[in-house]
Amino acid sequence: MVAAQHRDGDGRTTVTLKELLGLRNEVGKSHLPRVVSRQSRSGQQSSRSFGRGMDYAESRAYQAGDDVRRLDWRLTARSGRLHTKLFQEEREAQLLIVLDTHASMQFGTRQRYKSVQAARAAALAAWHGVACGERVGLLGFGRSQHFVRPRGGVRGATAICGALVDWDQTVTAAQPDNVVQPLSQALGRALREGRSISRILLISDGWSSDEAARGPLLHLAQRSRIGVLLVSDPIESAILPEGRYPLQTAAGRVELNLAGDRARHELQHQLGQGRQRLMRLLQPLGLAYESLDTQDDPSAALERVLTWRGGRS
């Protein structure tokens, strides 16, 4: 069992493998469609293995070199001229999850760290992916820059759950907080690693966003569907009322005293810069994104971003 290979977390500041594996049970509650990657095949390219995984597209007049096994005998009989059937090859679709593991993700004032919520969303996406017939892969950037190659079936999703726990334990225990990898570099690697990727899911709090990421995003969007989950803590996306707020950090639990409008507005502005930076990058490109609060169930946001087909409400 994979669970025996990891030290389980607490689900609040560290990732819990038991929870990630258990998210498989949430798959039936959503309605994500199966995604199929298709590539047209020319009738002039003969193949000895057509039939399974091949969908009929259309017929056209026979051309020299066409495979005689693909003759459309019905149309040939009706027209009196030889016709060849053309097919589309159905290929297994692939989902690549690009996960932000920078130190800024290990922050939380409500329910759990952003890093824990991001891992929950990534695991749920993996379970959805394999349920939809996809191969699923995981690329980390920031403090963990590992890559889990796309695999299908339960083993593919389980491998991702195990990697999420490993990465979380590694960055919590060993990696320095000042490791920075711009989003542009991560997307450039996704371009190199994901030549056959059908869908890309980016999960980030936005602090690593840079203008140089615009080019790789455009290139990726030309060959894959891109969705983004923008993970944030409540204190980063809304102006809080006056009061004392518990703050969980890597150094321990502290209390933040917010008194006066100026202090509250200034804090929200400073903490929300990462979120705003990523939104400014995505909006002009028309890419799908959804906000994911650390207190939320990621299912709804994930379903919206993975089924998005253009335009925002």
Side-chain angles (χ1 to χ4, degrees), residues 41-247:
R41 289 184 62 90
S42 167
Q44 294 177 307
Q45 294 178 342
S46 61
S47 171
R48 295 183 179 181
S49 57
F50 64 90
R52 183 177 181 181
M54 301 289 286
D55 292 339
Y56 172 76
E58 61 180 337
S59 295
R60 61 155 170 77
Y62 175 85
Q63 297 178 7
D66 283 355
D67 191 333
V68 295
R69 295 175 297 171
R70 298 188 180 187
L71 289 176
D72 187 336
W73 294 110
R74 291 185 180 181
L75 184 55
T76 296
R78 289 199 304 268
S79 66
R81 297 178 56 196
L82 289 174
H83 281 76
T84 301
K85 290 182 179 180
L86 302 183
F87 294 84
Q88 285 185 323
E89 180 180 4
E90 182 177 301
R91 294 187 173 181
E92 193 172 17
Q94 296 188 35
L95 167 66
L96 177 63
I97 303 166
V98 181
L99 180 69
D100 192 335
T101 65
H102 282 93
S104 63
M105 296 289 287
Q106 292 188 298
F107 171 85
T109 63
R110 295 291 188 277
Q111 195 69 31
R112 56 181 63 89
Y113 273 4
K114 291 185 288 182
S115 57
V116 174
Q117 181 72 312
R120 295 172 75 235
L124 188 57
W127 287 118
H128 277 303
V130 299
C132 293
E134 294 176 291
R135 296 171 66 85
V136 292
L138 178 67
L139 188 153
F141 71 104
R143 299 168 79 189
S144 178
Q145 300 180 20
H146 298 290
F147 178 54
V148 178
R149 295 195 174 278
R151 296 174 61 185
V154 174
R155 288 186 178 182
T158 302
I160 285 181
C161 291
L164 290 168
V165 176
D166 284 341
W167 297 2
D168 183 67
Q169 292 177 359
T170 299
V171 301
T172 300
Q175 294 291 330
D177 290 349
N178 60 355
V179 173
V180 176
Q181 183 183 21
L183 179 59
S184 58
Q185 290 185 14
L187 295 176
R189 188 178 178 196
L191 277 168
R192 296 189 298 272
E193 300 282 7
R195 289 185 172 84
S196 301
I197 298 300
S198 310
R199 297 195 291 184
I200 294 175
L201 175 65
L202 170 64
I203 305 177
S204 174
D205 64 357
W207 282 100
S208 61
S209 302
D210 59 332
E211 282 300 314
R214 192 176 304 274
L217 276 173
L218 286 172
H219 285 297
L220 287 168
Q222 289 173 358
R223 65 191 193 192
S224 308
R225 287 176 55 189
I226 302 177
V228 180
L229 284 181
L230 209 170
V231 184
S232 64
D233 185 83
I235 203 173
E236 297 174 324
S237 55
I239 298 175
L240 298 176
E242 292 188 14
R244 295 179 178 274
Y245 293 88
L247 203 64

